[in-house]
Amino acid sequence: MSGSHYFSSAPEVASERRPITVSLPDLTLELTTDTGVFSHGGLDKGTRILLEHAPPPRVRGPILDVGCGYGPIALTWASRRKRLPVWAVDVNDRALELVRLNAQELRLGNVQASRPEDVPEDLRFATIYSNPPIRIGKAELRRLLTHWLGRLTPDGSAFLVVQKHLGSDSLQAWLNGQGYPTTRVTSVNGFRILEARPRPETGEGTDSGRGTTS
């Protein structure tokens, strides 16, 4: 049934919270997951590859996790960059509840969990990290990605992890065709990490020299 999908706003499957441990080379997070959210049984392979192999933010500014689930990406980067605001965005209200709970338990005051429509329209992000919801369908996925890529700062970057057999190479070509310069950062165990940049015209009339890497 549609309400059981993790990309539904209100999953119909009964709640069954459970603790999990997310162990990364630089930190360990004790988190709570629940049924009805993406990969509730533990950290999925794609997200782990993104967290272990994606570069750190290239410029300073707000960080965004698109399709946050219970929050492993947002909470990891909030722990790594405690002075930066981190936004965790999802359409799944159960997932957002978990992000808020996990952030509170980890004492991370720099995390904001929000539905997409509740993100302030004038807010721009320096870095996006996402394991995008491929299974929502190609058309919807493209709309989602172009919406959030349009919210990058002129010197920002989006790091996306996508399996090769689920269309990472064709997605890279499509993003380039839409005017978003997109390159492959690395390939690990059949997953690609893509880096997408804003359309060049986004930076017209703005100060794009705020910095490069840190």
Side-chain angles (χ1 to χ4, degrees), residues 79-94:
S79 299
R80 289 171 173 170
R81 295 291 187 274
K82 292 184 178 180
R83 295 185 179 181
L84 294 180
V86 178
W87 285 72
V89 171
D90 208 299
V91 298
N92 186 325
D93 291 331
R94 186 177 296 179

Side-chain angles (χ1 to χ4, degrees), residues 141-191:
L141 176 69
R142 288 177 172 179
R143 282 193 292 270
L144 179 147
L145 290 177
T146 54
H147 171 78
W148 292 112
L149 290 176
R151 304 287 293 271
L152 282 170
T153 58
D155 48 3
S157 294
F159 298 101
L160 314 172
V161 63
V162 183
Q163 276 186 293
K164 179 180 179 182
H165 82 268
L166 290 180
S168 60
D169 295 347
S170 61
L171 178 61
Q172 179 181 349
W174 182 82
L175 288 170
N176 275 308
Q178 297 298 303
Y180 299 99
T182 303
T183 57
R184 185 193 305 170
V185 174
T186 190
S187 182
V188 181
N189 296 332
F191 286 84

Side-chain angles (χ1 to χ4, degrees), residues 18-121:
R18 56 171 291 185
I20 64 165
T21 300
V22 173
S23 296
L24 299 168
D26 58 328
L27 56 83
T28 298
L29 302 177
E30 302 295 336
L31 305 179
T32 298
T33 69
D34 201 347
T35 50
V37 302
F38 175 66
S39 190
H40 71 276
L43 190 66
D44 70 287
K45 185 182 294 186
T47 298
R48 178 174 294 280
I49 287 170
L50 182 71
L51 292 174
E52 292 184 353
H53 296 278
R58 302 200 187 280
V59 294
R60 187 174 179 83
I63 295 172
L64 171 66
D65 173 10
V66 177
C68 62
Y70 59 89
I73 295 174
L75 297 164
T76 294
W77 281 108
S79 299
R80 289 171 173 170
R81 295 291 187 274
K82 292 184 178 180
R83 295 185 179 181
L84 294 180
V86 178
W87 285 72
V89 171
D90 208 299
V91 298
N92 186 325
D93 291 331
R94 186 177 296 179
L96 296 176
E97 290 177 6
L98 290 168
V99 175
R100 296 181 188 113
L101 171 65
N102 286 322
Q104 182 178 13
E105 291 296 319
L106 294 170
R107 298 182 180 179
L108 294 171
N110 56 331
V111 177
Q112 177 69 43
S114 175
R115 292 181 60 86
E117 62 270 22
D118 295 329
V119 177
E121 291 185 6

